[in-house]
Amino acid sequence: MSGPVDDFDWAALRAEAVAINARAYAPYSGYRVGAAARVDDGRTVVGCNVENAAYGVTLCAECGLVSQLHAEGGGRLTHFVCVNGEAEVIMPCGRCRQLLWENGGANLLVETPAGVLPMSEVLPQAFGPDDLERARA
């Protein structure tokens, strides 16, 4: 993999994403997504996509993952991966890149089809909490 030097067990995290992928609810698109992330306290959080007949209210896998993160006490994401129904590593959508930035920041490591990249390269020039703090000052 290209990207930052990291001895993290990406295969184990990917296996968590594949396992939760089986629980995805995707009756409309048939496109299942599973996501898994490591938290700075060592926990692993997961999520899967949940579609809805009203397409606009479909929940991405990352939404469920971030909800689990906060439901279990919060923390910061340090490593993240998402996979499709064929267990291939995929990129998070734009909305989910913003969720990941908010909960992991610039240094969150993301496994992508191009290798492991820091969030600062996955979402360059991101808007986040620091921008709001500067606006208040």
mmCIF file of all heavy atoms in Angstrom, residues 92-123:
data_model
loop_
_atom_site.group_PDB
_atom_site.id
_atom_site.type_symbol
_atom_site.label_atom_id
_atom_site.label_comp_id
_atom_site.label_asym_id
_atom_site.label_seq_id
_atom_site.Cartn_x
_atom_site.Cartn_y
_atom_site.Cartn_z
ATOM 1 N N PRO A 92 -15.388 6.564 0.633
ATOM 2 C CA PRO A 92 -16.611 7.139 1.195
ATOM 3 C C PRO A 92 -17.128 8.268 0.303
ATOM 4 O O PRO A 92 -16.342 8.945 -0.369
ATOM 5 C CB PRO A 92 -16.169 7.680 2.552
ATOM 6 C CG PRO A 92 -14.706 7.515 2.644
ATOM 7 C CD PRO A 92 -14.216 6.802 1.440
ATOM 8 N N CYS A 93 -18.436 8.467 0.308
ATOM 9 C CA CYS A 93 -19.023 9.561 -0.464
ATOM 10 C C CYS A 93 -18.628 10.907 0.163
ATOM 11 O O CYS A 93 -18.028 10.954 1.240
ATOM 12 C CB CYS A 93 -20.543 9.408 -0.527
ATOM 13 S SG CYS A 93 -21.399 9.726 1.042
ATOM 14 N N GLY A 94 -18.994 11.987 -0.481
ATOM 15 C CA GLY A 94 -18.624 13.314 0.005
ATOM 16 C C GLY A 94 -19.171 13.634 1.380
ATOM 17 O O GLY A 94 -18.459 14.146 2.246
ATOM 18 N N ARG A 95 -20.457 13.354 1.600
ATOM 19 C CA ARG A 95 -21.052 13.615 2.914
ATOM 20 C C ARG A 95 -20.310 12.845 3.994
ATOM 21 O O ARG A 95 -20.036 13.362 5.074
ATOM 22 C CB ARG A 95 -22.532 13.236 2.911
ATOM 23 C CG ARG A 95 -23.183 13.344 4.284
ATOM 24 C CD ARG A 95 -24.632 12.985 4.248
ATOM 25 N NE ARG A 95 -24.803 11.559 4.484
ATOM 26 C CZ ARG A 95 -25.942 11.009 4.878
ATOM 27 N NH1 ARG A 95 -27.015 11.762 5.049
ATOM 28 N NH2 ARG A 95 -26.033 9.734 5.083
ATOM 29 N N CYS A 96 -19.967 11.607 3.690
ATOM 30 C CA CYS A 96 -19.303 10.774 4.689
ATOM 31 C C CYS A 96 -17.849 11.183 4.903
ATOM 32 O O CYS A 96 -17.315 11.024 5.998
ATOM 33 C CB CYS A 96 -19.421 9.305 4.308
ATOM 34 S SG CYS A 96 -21.147 8.757 4.459
ATOM 35 N N ARG A 97 -17.228 11.728 3.893
ATOM 36 C CA ARG A 97 -15.874 12.263 4.087
ATOM 37 C C ARG A 97 -15.922 13.387 5.111
ATOM 38 O O ARG A 97 -15.046 13.521 5.954
ATOM 39 C CB ARG A 97 -15.286 12.752 2.764
ATOM 40 C CG ARG A 97 -14.994 11.623 1.811
ATOM 41 C CD ARG A 97 -14.460 12.104 0.491
ATOM 42 N NE ARG A 97 -14.551 11.046 -0.493
ATOM 43 C CZ ARG A 97 -13.843 11.003 -1.607
ATOM 44 N NH1 ARG A 97 -12.977 11.974 -1.890
ATOM 45 N NH2 ARG A 97 -13.987 10.020 -2.459
ATOM 46 N N GLN A 98 -16.981 14.195 5.055
ATOM 47 C CA GLN A 98 -17.140 15.267 6.036
ATOM 48 C C GLN A 98 -17.357 14.684 7.434
ATOM 49 O O GLN A 98 -16.781 15.171 8.408
ATOM 50 C CB GLN A 98 -18.307 16.180 5.642
ATOM 51 C CG GLN A 98 -18.470 17.380 6.533
ATOM 52 C CD GLN A 98 -17.314 18.366 6.441
ATOM 53 O OE1 GLN A 98 -16.758 18.583 5.361
ATOM 54 N NE2 GLN A 98 -16.950 18.967 7.555
ATOM 55 N N LEU A 99 -18.174 13.633 7.555
ATOM 56 C CA LEU A 99 -18.378 12.974 8.850
ATOM 57 C C LEU A 99 -17.060 12.444 9.398
ATOM 58 O O LEU A 99 -16.772 12.566 10.590
ATOM 59 C CB LEU A 99 -19.351 11.800 8.707
ATOM 60 C CG LEU A 99 -20.828 12.098 8.653
ATOM 61 C CD1 LEU A 99 -21.603 10.825 8.308
ATOM 62 C CD2 LEU A 99 -21.307 12.669 9.960
ATOM 63 N N LEU A 100 -16.276 11.837 8.529
ATOM 64 C CA LEU A 100 -14.994 11.284 8.972
ATOM 65 C C LEU A 100 -14.040 12.390 9.409
ATOM 66 O O LEU A 100 -13.327 12.246 10.400
ATOM 67 C CB LEU A 100 -14.376 10.428 7.862
ATOM 68 C CG LEU A 100 -15.149 9.157 7.536
ATOM 69 C CD1 LEU A 100 -14.582 8.505 6.276
ATOM 70 C CD2 LEU A 100 -15.144 8.186 8.708
ATOM 71 N N TRP A 101 -14.033 13.490 8.673
ATOM 72 C CA TRP A 101 -13.179 14.629 9.053
ATOM 73 C C TRP A 101 -13.567 15.126 10.447
ATOM 74 O O TRP A 101 -12.717 15.355 11.296
ATOM 75 C CB TRP A 101 -13.318 15.765 8.036
ATOM 76 C CG TRP A 101 -12.436 16.923 8.357
ATOM 77 C CD1 TRP A 101 -12.709 17.960 9.204
ATOM 78 C CD2 TRP A 101 -11.110 17.135 7.887
ATOM 79 N NE1 TRP A 101 -11.643 18.808 9.278
ATOM 80 C CE2 TRP A 101 -10.653 18.336 8.474
ATOM 81 C CE3 TRP A 101 -10.284 16.449 7.005
ATOM 82 C CZ2 TRP A 101 -9.383 18.843 8.209
ATOM 83 C CZ3 TRP A 101 -9.022 16.962 6.740
ATOM 84 C CH2 TRP A 101 -8.583 18.141 7.344
ATOM 85 N N GLU A 102 -14.847 15.277 10.676
ATOM 86 C CA GLU A 102 -15.335 15.791 11.955
ATOM 87 C C GLU A 102 -14.944 14.881 13.119
ATOM 88 O O GLU A 102 -14.683 15.348 14.212
ATOM 89 C CB GLU A 102 -16.866 15.915 11.891
ATOM 90 C CG GLU A 102 -17.503 16.495 13.123
ATOM 91 C CD GLU A 102 -17.493 18.011 13.156
ATOM 92 O OE1 GLU A 102 -17.216 18.654 12.124
ATOM 93 O OE2 GLU A 102 -17.777 18.566 14.236
ATOM 94 N N ASN A 103 -14.888 13.580 12.874
ATOM 95 C CA ASN A 103 -14.667 12.614 13.953
ATOM 96 C C ASN A 103 -13.285 11.987 13.972
ATOM 97 O O ASN A 103 -12.984 11.203 14.870
ATOM 98 C CB ASN A 103 -15.748 11.530 13.891
ATOM 99 C CG ASN A 103 -17.089 12.092 14.247
ATOM 100 O OD1 ASN A 103 -17.409 12.250 15.414
ATOM 101 N ND2 ASN A 103 -17.878 12.453 13.238
ATOM 102 N N GLY A 104 -12.458 12.334 13.007
ATOM 103 C CA GLY A 104 -11.094 11.810 12.979
ATOM 104 C C GLY A 104 -10.052 12.863 12.656
ATOM 105 O O GLY A 104 -8.905 12.747 13.043
ATOM 106 N N GLY A 105 -10.452 13.875 11.915
ATOM 107 C CA GLY A 105 -9.542 14.962 11.583
ATOM 108 C C GLY A 105 -8.569 14.646 10.466
ATOM 109 O O GLY A 105 -8.629 13.593 9.817
ATOM 110 N N ALA A 106 -7.652 15.552 10.265
ATOM 111 C CA ALA A 106 -6.703 15.492 9.149
ATOM 112 C C ALA A 106 -5.814 14.262 9.190
ATOM 113 O O ALA A 106 -5.383 13.775 8.139
ATOM 114 C CB ALA A 106 -5.840 16.755 9.143
ATOM 115 N N ASN A 107 -5.531 13.750 10.372
ATOM 116 C CA ASN A 107 -4.587 12.631 10.490
ATOM 117 C C ASN A 107 -5.237 11.258 10.482
ATOM 118 O O ASN A 107 -4.538 10.243 10.548
ATOM 119 C CB ASN A 107 -3.748 12.790 11.758
ATOM 120 C CG ASN A 107 -2.886 14.031 11.686
ATOM 121 O OD1 ASN A 107 -2.330 14.363 10.638
ATOM 122 N ND2 ASN A 107 -2.769 14.740 12.788
ATOM 123 N N LEU A 108 -6.576 11.183 10.417
ATOM 124 C CA LEU A 108 -7.247 9.894 10.309
ATOM 125 C C LEU A 108 -6.705 9.166 9.079
ATOM 126 O O LEU A 108 -6.664 9.726 7.990
ATOM 127 C CB LEU A 108 -8.762 10.101 10.161
ATOM 128 C CG LEU A 108 -9.594 8.885 9.765
ATOM 129 C CD1 LEU A 108 -9.497 7.776 10.808
ATOM 130 C CD2 LEU A 108 -11.040 9.291 9.530
ATOM 131 N N LEU A 109 -6.275 7.926 9.252
ATOM 132 C CA LEU A 109 -5.772 7.139 8.132
ATOM 133 C C LEU A 109 -6.919 6.356 7.510
ATOM 134 O O LEU A 109 -7.677 5.680 8.211
ATOM 135 C CB LEU A 109 -4.662 6.192 8.589
ATOM 136 C CG LEU A 109 -3.403 6.890 9.095
ATOM 137 C CD1 LEU A 109 -2.381 5.862 9.574
ATOM 138 C CD2 LEU A 109 -2.805 7.784 8.010
ATOM 139 N N VAL A 110 -7.049 6.463 6.195
ATOM 140 C CA VAL A 110 -8.142 5.847 5.456
ATOM 141 C C VAL A 110 -7.560 4.889 4.430
ATOM 142 O O VAL A 110 -6.714 5.283 3.619
ATOM 143 C CB VAL A 110 -8.993 6.925 4.744
ATOM 144 C CG1 VAL A 110 -10.116 6.290 3.941
ATOM 145 C CG2 VAL A 110 -9.536 7.935 5.751
ATOM 146 N N GLU A 111 -8.017 3.635 4.473
ATOM 147 C CA GLU A 111 -7.610 2.708 3.420
ATOM 148 C C GLU A 111 -8.481 2.987 2.207
ATOM 149 O O GLU A 111 -9.713 2.951 2.294
ATOM 150 C CB GLU A 111 -7.755 1.258 3.864
ATOM 151 C CG GLU A 111 -7.203 0.310 2.817
ATOM 152 C CD GLU A 111 -7.213 -1.148 3.217
ATOM 153 O OE1 GLU A 111 -8.037 -1.548 4.070
ATOM 154 O OE2 GLU A 111 -6.397 -1.887 2.659
ATOM 155 N N THR A 112 -7.860 3.286 1.086
ATOM 156 C CA THR A 112 -8.554 3.614 -0.150
ATOM 157 C C THR A 112 -8.121 2.630 -1.239
ATOM 158 O O THR A 112 -7.138 1.898 -1.055
ATOM 159 C CB THR A 112 -8.204 5.048 -0.612
ATOM 160 O OG1 THR A 112 -6.895 5.051 -1.196
ATOM 161 C CG2 THR A 112 -8.281 6.057 0.529
ATOM 162 N N PRO A 113 -8.801 2.624 -2.379
ATOM 163 C CA PRO A 113 -8.345 1.772 -3.483
ATOM 164 C C PRO A 113 -6.918 2.109 -3.936
ATOM 165 O O PRO A 113 -6.223 1.261 -4.496
ATOM 166 C CB PRO A 113 -9.361 2.050 -4.592
ATOM 167 C CG PRO A 113 -10.608 2.439 -3.855
ATOM 168 C CD PRO A 113 -10.108 3.221 -2.664
ATOM 169 N N ALA A 114 -6.461 3.331 -3.647
ATOM 170 C CA ALA A 114 -5.109 3.754 -4.017
ATOM 171 C C ALA A 114 -4.099 3.542 -2.898
ATOM 172 O O ALA A 114 -2.949 3.934 -3.031
ATOM 173 C CB ALA A 114 -5.124 5.222 -4.426
ATOM 174 N N GLY A 115 -4.520 2.953 -1.778
ATOM 175 C CA GLY A 115 -3.628 2.749 -0.642
ATOM 176 C C GLY A 115 -4.094 3.547 0.560
ATOM 177 O O GLY A 115 -5.149 4.179 0.544
ATOM 178 N N VAL A 116 -3.303 3.529 1.619
ATOM 179 C CA VAL A 116 -3.645 4.238 2.852
ATOM 180 C C VAL A 116 -3.262 5.710 2.695
ATOM 181 O O VAL A 116 -2.119 6.024 2.358
ATOM 182 C CB VAL A 116 -2.929 3.609 4.066
ATOM 183 C CG1 VAL A 116 -3.206 4.405 5.329
ATOM 184 C CG2 VAL A 116 -3.356 2.153 4.235
ATOM 185 N N LEU A 117 -4.236 6.575 2.964
ATOM 186 C CA LEU A 117 -4.026 8.019 2.843
ATOM 187 C C LEU A 117 -4.542 8.709 4.096
ATOM 188 O O LEU A 117 -5.536 8.277 4.685
ATOM 189 C CB LEU A 117 -4.796 8.581 1.641
ATOM 190 C CG LEU A 117 -4.421 8.047 0.273
ATOM 191 C CD1 LEU A 117 -5.409 8.552 -0.780
ATOM 192 C CD2 LEU A 117 -3.002 8.445 -0.091
ATOM 193 N N PRO A 118 -3.905 9.817 4.497
ATOM 194 C CA PRO A 118 -4.464 10.598 5.597
ATOM 195 C C PRO A 118 -5.719 11.328 5.108
ATOM 196 O O PRO A 118 -5.860 11.639 3.917
ATOM 197 C CB PRO A 118 -3.344 11.584 5.938
ATOM 198 C CG PRO A 118 -2.573 11.722 4.673
ATOM 199 C CD PRO A 118 -2.670 10.399 3.972
ATOM 200 N N MET A 119 -6.619 11.588 6.016
ATOM 201 C CA MET A 119 -7.854 12.273 5.664
ATOM 202 C C MET A 119 -7.576 13.607 4.975
ATOM 203 O O MET A 119 -8.359 14.050 4.132
ATOM 204 C CB MET A 119 -8.691 12.466 6.930
ATOM 205 C CG MET A 119 -10.133 12.770 6.675
ATOM 206 S SD MET A 119 -10.943 11.393 5.857
ATOM 207 C CE MET A 119 -12.206 12.294 4.991
ATOM 208 N N SER A 120 -6.470 14.254 5.309
ATOM 209 C CA SER A 120 -6.123 15.531 4.676
ATOM 210 C C SER A 120 -5.940 15.394 3.165
ATOM 211 O O SER A 120 -6.085 16.374 2.434
ATOM 212 C CB SER A 120 -4.859 16.115 5.304
ATOM 213 O OG SER A 120 -3.771 15.217 5.142
ATOM 214 N N GLU A 121 -5.650 14.181 2.673
ATOM 215 C CA GLU A 121 -5.559 13.952 1.228
ATOM 216 C C GLU A 121 -6.875 13.444 0.661
ATOM 217 O O GLU A 121 -7.174 13.674 -0.507
ATOM 218 C CB GLU A 121 -4.437 12.952 0.918
ATOM 219 C CG GLU A 121 -3.055 13.530 1.157
ATOM 220 C CD GLU A 121 -1.947 12.571 0.762
ATOM 221 O OE1 GLU A 121 -2.109 11.838 -0.248
ATOM 222 O OE2 GLU A 121 -0.931 12.549 1.462
ATOM 223 N N VAL A 122 -7.665 12.766 1.479
ATOM 224 C CA VAL A 122 -8.971 12.274 1.038
ATOM 225 C C VAL A 122 -9.953 13.439 0.909
ATOM 226 O O VAL A 122 -10.786 13.464 0.005
ATOM 227 C CB VAL A 122 -9.513 11.205 2.013
ATOM 228 C CG1 VAL A 122 -10.935 10.800 1.671
ATOM 229 C CG2 VAL A 122 -8.595 9.982 2.023
ATOM 230 N N LEU A 123 -9.842 14.415 1.796
ATOM 231 C CA LEU A 123 -10.705 15.592 1.769
ATOM 232 C C LEU A 123 -9.826 16.836 1.944
ATOM 233 O O LEU A 123 -9.771 17.430 3.026
ATOM 234 C CB LEU A 123 -11.762 15.512 2.875
ATOM 235 C CG LEU A 123 -12.846 16.588 2.866
ATOM 236 C CD1 LEU A 123 -13.673 16.534 1.585
ATOM 237 C CD2 LEU A 123 -13.753 16.430 4.074
#
